[in-house]
Amino acid sequence: MLIGRDTLVLVAVRLLAAALAIAPATFAAAAAGAAPATTAPLTGNAVLEYLNATIDWYRRVESLDAPPVNSQELLLRATVREDARQAVRLALRFARAQAAILEASPATAPATVP
């Protein structure tokens, strides 16, 4: 039987991977000029914070290394690790797309006082 912590990690990985699977498509559409009406533009710092949080999360997932009890648990742990790697790949893809959007957007000019 799975340890409660492993089950929680598996659920978290699946949810994050699903959320990250949606993000690149949304931002690819924004890069093509079809920006979603409800999405506020992200700053470069916000993208970096998101990327850093994702990498920290990945490191925590990789550090959970209790000895497997049976072969099913070993397979589930391998799946969790692969899903975590996929989540990081998608986060990097999102960050690259967002960087392209930020690079293409005109820089905000400082307001001049009359």
Side-chain angles (χ1 to χ4, degrees):
M1 177 143 197
L2 286 176
I3 301 171
R5 179 180 62 177
D6 289 340
T7 303
L8 181 61
V9 169
L10 180 61
V11 169
V13 167
R14 297 281 182 183
L15 289 174
L16 183 62
L20 290 175
I22 295 168
T26 301
F27 288 101
T38 59
T39 305
L42 293 175
T43 64
N45 286 337
V47 174
L48 286 175
E49 287 175 16
Y50 168 75
L51 201 53
N52 285 332
T54 303
I55 291 168
D56 289 342
W57 169 82
Y58 173 77
R59 288 179 179 155
R60 284 193 308 271
V61 169
E62 285 294 317
S63 70
L64 297 174
D65 200 20
V69 176
N70 58 35
S71 60
Q72 181 184 9
E73 189 172 336
L74 184 65
L75 289 173
L76 287 173
R77 286 174 193 236
T79 301
V80 166
R81 286 200 168 109
E82 181 55 36
D83 287 348
R85 283 190 287 274
Q86 178 66 13
V88 171
R89 281 191 292 269
L90 291 171
L92 289 168
R93 189 170 157 195
F94 162 76
R96 285 185 200 109
Q98 190 61 33
I101 291 169
L102 290 172
E103 214 172 76
S105 68
T108 56
T112 58
V113 178

